Amino acid sequence: MFQRFLVTAVGSQAEGHEMHGARGGGQEETSVPILEYLREPNRYGDGVPKESSPFINSTDIDKGIVYEGKNLALFEEEMDRNPMVSSLLNRLANYTNLTQGVREHEEAENNEEPKKKEVKMISGIYHCHPRKQNTLEHSTVQAPQMGTFIGVYLPCLQNILGVILFLRLTWIVGAAGIFGSFWIVFMCCTCTLLTAISMSAIATNGVVPAGGSYYMISRSLGPEFGGAVGLCFYLGTTFAGAMYILGTIEILLTYIVPSAAIFKTEDPSQEKQAMLNNMRVYGTCTIALMATVVFVGVKYVNKLALVFLACVILSIFSIYAGVIKSGFSPPDFPLCLLGNRTLAWKDFDKCAKVITEGNQTVVSQLWQLFCNGPFLNATCNEYFTLNNVTKIQGIPGIASTVIFENIWSNYEPQGEMLEKKGLPSIPASEGEVNVGLPYVFSDIATYFTMLVGIYFPSVTGIMAGSNRSGDLKDAQKSIPTGTLLAIITTSFIYLSCIILFGACIEGVLLRDKFGESVNGNLVIGILAWPSPWVIVIGSFFSTCGAGLQSLTGAPRLMQAIARDGIVPFLQVFGHGKANGEPTWALLLTAGICEIGILIASLDSVAPILSMFFLMCYMFVNLACALQTLLRTPNWRPRFKYYHWTLSFLGMSLCLALMFICSWYYALVAMLIAGCIYKYIEYRGAEKEWGDGIRGLSLNAARYALLRLEDGPTHTKNWRPQLLILLNLDPEQNVKHPRLLSLTTQLKAGKGLTIVGSVLEGTFLERHSEVQNAEQNIKALMGVEKTKGFCHVVVSSNRRDGVSHLIQSSGLGGMKHNTVLVAWPELWRQSDGPGGWKGFVDMVRETTAAHQALLVTKNTDRFPTNQERFSGGTIDVWWIVHDGGLLMLLPFLLSQHKVWRKCKMRIFTVAQIDDNSIQMKKDLQLFLYQLRLDAEVEVVEMLDNDISAFTYERTLVMEQRSQMLKQMQLSRIEKEREAQLIHDRNAAAHASGSDRLTVPPERVHMTWTKEKIIAEKNKSKETVSPEGVRDVFNMKPNQSNVRRMHTAVRLNEVVVNKSQDARLVLLNMPGPPKNKQGDENYMEFLEVLTEGLNRVLMVRGGGSEVITIYS
């Protein structure tokens, strides 16, 4: 299918629109939003909702399009947000998933010719610059034409077959036996096969842009998992480069030019250390050379890829050819054994103790190695004297019966001599010294789990196809087919090689890792046909090419992670050269790769990268299983041969292999991934990628909410689930931010927190202000570290809005049970819904809803989260018991570092008939059973006579209330009153009668119903100045006097005891049942809390919240 895209100027949108030719009906074709998405992924795919629908709400998509004359006039006002289906489909057809990897860099360098368009590409993201209109109308990029075989199968084949096959597979077969090796290969290949099935499902569920496997994991599991696994995959790829380089140097120094070693020693015990030092020096030089090649131009790596692949395929064919030839003409590579011990064939030419030259018997070079002189009567090694020298063929051939000797394992400890079973051997005395003798020793201890860790890197590389998805003609068909065929092919090669090696090669030679017994030849090389050099040279270039590929791919993976912005301190590695080459990421990769080089042992590096690859594969399987089980609507992969059980099995197998390889490496890898996860969660940029973890969270939340609906919360599980009611200023800023500070100190991030506020008006008019208010509140919640939800509603008046929040906030069982609000300091200045009337109604509504109420007085004096009290007390005044919330709150506060050093004191009030001493003992016992540490004090409040101050305070309160009632007429009511008086006068003059009232219909039109009733019940006389004087002559209500007396006396006691307390908590009395005394209720509370610094009035919800039982 022919695919193309339109080229528009970066930063010159208008010019780009003018450049495009008109299409059908005068409609101009605009720049494809996919290109904008590719240019700036951080705007679309990285946390911005446009990733999921880049065509919707793109206001600059259809600029300049004329809709006149269309048949869609009904929708033309929405065209700026919702494009027509025809233009949408046209853009989708023009979209092509651009090449990732190295092709774009090669094109960027080659496209400098004057007749070609200028394309600037950074890690798979094009920035296109148009030519002038008279030179170029449309620019196109040739569609990718790579098929399954070239684009997926061969790259996977090249990445899977590599250094382990050539350098370690024969040794693994010798140590684990055919049976054990078969199980090792079978487990690892099954793991990659199951992972490939899961990967195929993910890769065919839509287009996979730049990033390959990292993109799949991160977009399926979210930024936290994606970043952690992406970095692990990066580290695995980087250490794989180190392993390939070490393999290259091992082949060079061991099999090609051993004389090139810099560090040499005559002491056999120091040979291993000298070899490691040589590996470090040559490895460092090699990585510097390879990094330079990648930096100068990765196009050379791309061109050499076919050469490297040819080396791999040629080597494989030479192995099978050698196996066939060994059936009728085995190669002549004899082994020399002393007794049953294998000898390293060096420093001697013939496998014999003595040789005959003419008629004279002389000692051989082997004799001189075991004896102290070149004479037949010299003193020799005891074992050498007791045992004979035997020469056997190292490769008996496939027609031999050696396969039966190699079926079972031959694990050996480090430093053990390689011995052939079945040969006679007379042991020497226990004091035998073997140091310096030409025996072949095992360099490391061998056991099953260690061999799994060394072998597993040989089956990695299955992601090569998905990483090249942009090069493929049909990625959704080629990736599953090519990857699975490559895995099946390589699995067959590995399994067949295990059987063939065991059937052709002698067991002791298989266990000879470096071919010392065959004069330092590569073991797999001497089996190959036509020459061992085919394998040696082929494996050298293969490992060298694999190292270059790792140094090419790993920096681009790091660049993709850095450009996503999920790990802030890695963003510097997203930059590179002008053509997009990730320079800084390449330097980082070379530095990490150098760590593996300094380890210098291929056998030690292989388990490290096994951990990282296994972790990556585990999360690929998890992503597929998760998406399948959640039944996400967008989960519609074209690859149908998958099932969640296969993905789960693959995930379990990956986890098991991690611990089989090395349990401590597995724990370290998981710790690294966990640290990265928590760091991204704590500091990383917030992204919304529609990932499966979010879907899992939604399902888990739904399940938990349904479970919570089953019954009421038990007292032991009760905790304050807060609804915080905030007041906002005209700019939608929070008036009392210390309320959120108190919330954080009280909640410590646990339980439900809903922060609500009310705006007066209609939602259509104030929806933008609602968004602004929510942003301000969320910003303040972030500053105060308040974890919760924000909900701003618009209502015709504040009282109704608060009522709606109290009734409807929360969902299911996750509803608030406590309301936190600030005391209205200016309640005397307003009697509307936002003043004292609204406050008293809110108190009544929380009581009716069985919700607790917390009211803070002097809110702005409460401490911030940064303050620390070095001492002081939290005083609790327990007047009445309404559920025990008064006891629980100071305990919760004391858990926060602001209040941690404050002591808790509990006061209770004793009446004249109470036994204060017994009350104190009972309260102390009660607190002991509640497991609360607090000082207890019983305060006696005697029934004193009502003071003159109390009487006067009550009188002033009632006089104020009465005057407010008389002065309560608003401006409109005053106009109505004036109209009523005018109508009365007009009626009186017209009829000449003495009636002072107006007809009932007239009263109904100008007065409210309450005024009509009041008018009927009142006398006909109007308000006179005498009525105002009666206010000052009135006597206070005795009920109010008693309430005021309680408030004054209790306030005196509280101030006397708790004036210096850091916080005072006391019971909040309920409002009167008769609403006519609401303003007096506010006055009572004001008097109750006078003279105190910080006050938290508490009103319980009517249920027990604290218990003495476990």
Side-chain angles (χ1 to χ4, degrees), residues 161-170 311-327 331 395 397-398 492-502 504-505 510 522-536 538-539 542:
L161 299 173
V163 61
I164 301 297
L165 171 64
F166 300 121
L167 296 183
R168 293 292 183 269
L169 189 58
T170 54
C311 291
V312 173
I313 296 176
L314 183 62
S315 300
I316 297 295
F317 279 118
S318 69
I319 292 172
Y320 283 108
V323 170
I324 295 173
K325 180 178 177 296
S326 71
I395 301 181
I398 195 170
F492 171 78
I493 292 173
Y494 280 123
L495 293 172
S496 62
C497 283
I498 286 173
I499 298 174
L500 295 177
F501 291 163
C504 295
I505 305 175
L510 286 173
L522 183 61
V523 176
I524 196 174
I526 62 177
L527 175 65
W529 181 87
S531 169
W533 287 102
V534 176
I535 292 290
V536 173
S539 60
S542 172

Side-chain angles (χ1 to χ4, degrees), residues 165-184:
L165 171 64
F166 300 121
L167 296 183
R168 293 292 183 269
L169 189 58
T170 54
W171 173 68
I172 292 174
V173 174
I178 296 175
F179 186 77
S181 302
F182 191 92
W183 272 110
I184 292 174

Side-chain angles (χ1 to χ4, degrees), residues 104-121:
E104 66 276 6
H105 301 285
E106 183 177 341
E107 292 176 1
E109 293 178 1
N110 292 337
N111 287 344
E112 296 175 356
E113 301 175 10
K115 291 184 180 181
K116 293 185 179 180
K117 61 180 176 53
E118 297 176 1
V119 178
K120 181 169 64 178
M121 183 72 180

Side-chain angles (χ1 to χ4, degrees), residues 438-449:
Y439 293 122
V440 180
F441 297 92
S442 57
D443 62 331
I444 59 174
T446 54
Y447 44 92
F448 181 81
T449 57

Side-chain angles (χ1 to χ4, degrees), residues 723 725 758 795 797-809 815-821 833 836-855 1068-1072 1075 1078 1081 1099-1102:
L723 168 63
L725 298 178
V758 179
S795 180
N797 59 75
R798 177 174 175 78
R799 178 184 177 280
D800 291 344
V802 170
S803 178
H804 294 157
L805 284 175
I806 292 174
Q807 295 178 59
S808 61
S809 292
K815 292 182 67 69
H816 64 279
N817 54 27
T818 306
V819 178
L820 174 61
V821 67
W836 58 267
K837 285 187 177 180
F839 179 83
V840 177
D841 288 340
M842 181 200 64
V843 175
R844 288 193 173 100
E845 287 174 353
T846 56
T847 303
H850 301 289
Q851 296 174 5
L853 177 65
L854 308 179
V855 180
M1068 179 179 178
K1075 291 187 177 183
D1078 286 356
Y1081 171 70
R1099 182 164 175 80

